[in-house]
Amino acid sequence: MKYNLLGAVSTIALGAAFGVGTTGTANAALTCTAGNIVGAGTCTTFATFGPSLTELTNVALLLNQWFSNASAGFTETLKSVVYKFSGSSLSTGSLFNKATSQQTFSYAQGMKLTFANGTGAPSNFITTANSTVTETGKFVFYTLPSSAFSAYGQNLSLIGGPFTLASSLSGYMGTGTFEALVSTKVLTSFIGGGGNITVNVTTLASPRIDITYNFSNTQPPPPPSPTPEPASLALLGVGLAGLGAIRRRRKA
């Protein structure tokens, strides 16, 4: 029978402790390809948080809008926005058999990242269909004698996307920023053990969002060479005739 560890084991201590201080956000500036090359170009930015011991609730990740860095005489047009959610979690700690007999069980710890639109975010950025990234973790099998400990460690990578938007891009253009909100949840799963296993595991989480802005860069063709007017052609003809007459006189 499978138990949720939070409900099934009363002596659990996850992370020792939600409420321990967290690190801050990191936000990357917009990095773009050259604005004087005709063809496709990209700008990239990302925001991340952590590693954090605390389960997060609606922490703001600040992301940059796209703006043209076209050189003089060039024109850039935003074509699509590609973004992905990702994260990592590192769980370390120990499991203890408090029973007076040997216990056999399996344990796994995972992570759930939930994203939502924050202040200034375009309405088509994060939707219900792409808002959650989950990794349940891998079950590890244990057989522990009475009053015995076992070390636990698991490193997870979480990826959602990439997601591509090719329309309704106006909200992504400008020189400002917008927010995405992220929440994290530690997931624990337990099979067996009869409620006799104490788990003391600390989990560090680092959620992240990456955005790539794809644009096209064009340059107008040079203006055509001016066509001589008829009057100018006539004057040129008269001048050439005059030069011919002078040469004939010199020969004579």
Side-chain angles (χ1 to χ4, degrees):
M1 182 175 183
K2 185 174 180 179
Y3 295 91
N4 182 306
L5 204 58
L6 288 172
V9 183
S10 61
T11 55
I12 187 170
L14 280 181
F18 301 162
V20 176
T22 63
T23 57
T25 56
N27 309 99
L30 202 64
T31 302
C32 300
T33 55
N36 60 355
I37 300 176
V38 174
T42 61
C43 293
T44 60
T45 185
F46 73 85
T48 186
F49 187 90
S52 169
L53 278 174
T54 304
E55 289 199 336
L56 310 175
T57 302
N58 289 336
V59 170
L61 302 179
L62 198 63
L63 296 157
N64 295 289
Q65 291 179 305
W66 176 83
F67 61 90
S68 172
N69 70 329
S71 301
F74 293 78
T75 301
E76 291 178 352
T77 304
L78 184 61
K79 293 295 187 179
S80 67
V81 177
V82 180
Y83 58 97
K84 67 178 181 179
F85 308 131
S86 61
S88 62
S89 71
L90 175 61
S91 300
T92 56
S94 63
L95 301 98
F96 174 68
N97 177 16
K98 64 181 181 180
T100 57
S101 60
Q102 176 177 287
Q103 298 293 317
T104 298
F105 61 96
S106 296
Y107 175 72
Q109 187 154 304
M111 176 65 61
K112 178 180 179 181
L113 306 178
T114 302
F115 296 89
N117 289 326
T119 303
S123 60
N124 63 338
F125 179 41
I126 299 174
T127 65
T128 302
N130 67 13
S131 63
T132 302
V133 182
T134 303
E135 173 56 60
T136 58
K138 181 180 180 181
F139 274 100
V140 180
F141 180 83
Y142 298 89
T143 298
L144 287 182
S146 174
S147 302
F149 285 91
S150 178
Y152 178 83
Q154 188 158 228
N155 193 358
L156 301 179
S157 295
L158 300 87
I159 298 177
F163 308 101
T164 301
L165 298 171
S167 60
S168 301
L169 302 182
S170 60
Y172 298 90
M173 294 184 279
T175 57
T177 59
F178 59 91
E179 291 180 351
L181 305 178
V182 61
S183 301
T184 66
K185 179 69 176 177
V186 175
L187 305 176
T188 58
S189 299
F190 202 88
I191 300 176
N196 296 305
I197 307 303
T198 299
V199 178
N200 187 357
V201 175
T202 296
T203 297
L204 298 173
S206 299
R208 172 171 168 148
I209 298 178
D210 289 78
I211 297 181
T212 299
Y213 297 107
N214 296 305
F215 63 86
S216 63
N217 200 2
T218 59
Q219 185 179 31
S225 301
T227 303
E229 298 179 2
S232 300
L233 292 174
L235 290 174
L236 179 62
V238 171
L240 292 174
L243 289 174
I246 292 172
R247 288 187 65 186
R248 287 193 296 271
R249 286 177 184 174
R250 288 178 177 175
K251 288 181 179 180

